[in-house]
Amino acid sequence: MDHPSPAPVPTPLTAPYWEACRRGELALQRCAGCGRFVHFPEPACPFCGNAELTFERVGGRGTVHTFTVVHRSFLPGFTTPYTVAWIDLPEGARVFGDITGCPPGRVRIGMPVEVHFTDLDGFGPLPHWRPTP
């Protein structure tokens, strides 16, 4: 039996992230105190403790820092195998996401990737990462 993929549940903290996705943009929190990007969204900067974090658009290109291939999903709606990775962005942030458009066996540390968005029925655009052409 096919199950739909689970949809994210936006909160006041994450709503600006999802609004940017709806515009086809990747936006991360940036700390007004130390200037560092923060991902996943936090109520305060994990680096300096400042609570003034605003969302800022980032370029959407990066390189695979590390990854894993999931062969047994514990949630309905995910077709295995799939690859999830930490992506290093040139802006200095590290973001988490899945790698699409590339067989799991071809993903490599250091591989250049770019963000792209696909619509999840009933939710809207979700960010994914694919190898750059």
Side-chain angles (χ1 to χ4, degrees):
M1 177 176 164
D2 284 338
H3 297 279
S5 294
V9 179
T11 66
L13 183 63
T14 64
Y17 175 84
W18 296 115
E19 290 165 12
C21 289
R22 283 187 200 90
R23 296 188 305 268
E25 299 174 359
L26 183 64
L28 304 178
Q29 286 180 309
R30 188 165 197 166
C31 177
C34 68
R36 293 182 72 174
F37 282 98
V38 176
H39 180 76
F40 299 102
E42 296 283 349
C45 179
F47 306 106
C48 75
N50 190 308
E52 190 178 341
L53 296 159
T54 57
F55 281 82
E56 185 176 307
R57 184 179 181 180
V58 293
R61 288 185 175 252
T63 57
V64 173
H65 176 80
T66 191
F67 68 94
T68 190
V69 177
V70 178
H71 293 277
R72 181 177 169 202
S73 180
F74 295 94
L75 291 173
F78 291 93
T79 302
T80 57
Y82 61 91
T83 306
V84 291
W86 283 104
I87 309 294
D88 289 332
L89 304 182
E91 292 88 353
R94 183 172 289 153
V95 299
F96 186 77
D98 65 328
I99 305 288
T100 62
C102 179
R106 298 190 120 188
V107 176
R108 296 286 179 258
I109 291 172
M111 183 174 79
V113 292
E114 64 185 1
V115 72
H116 70 104
F117 299 88
T118 61
D119 282 331
L120 176 62
D121 288 341
F123 180 78
L126 294 177
H128 307 278
W129 296 87
R130 65 181 169 209
T132 56

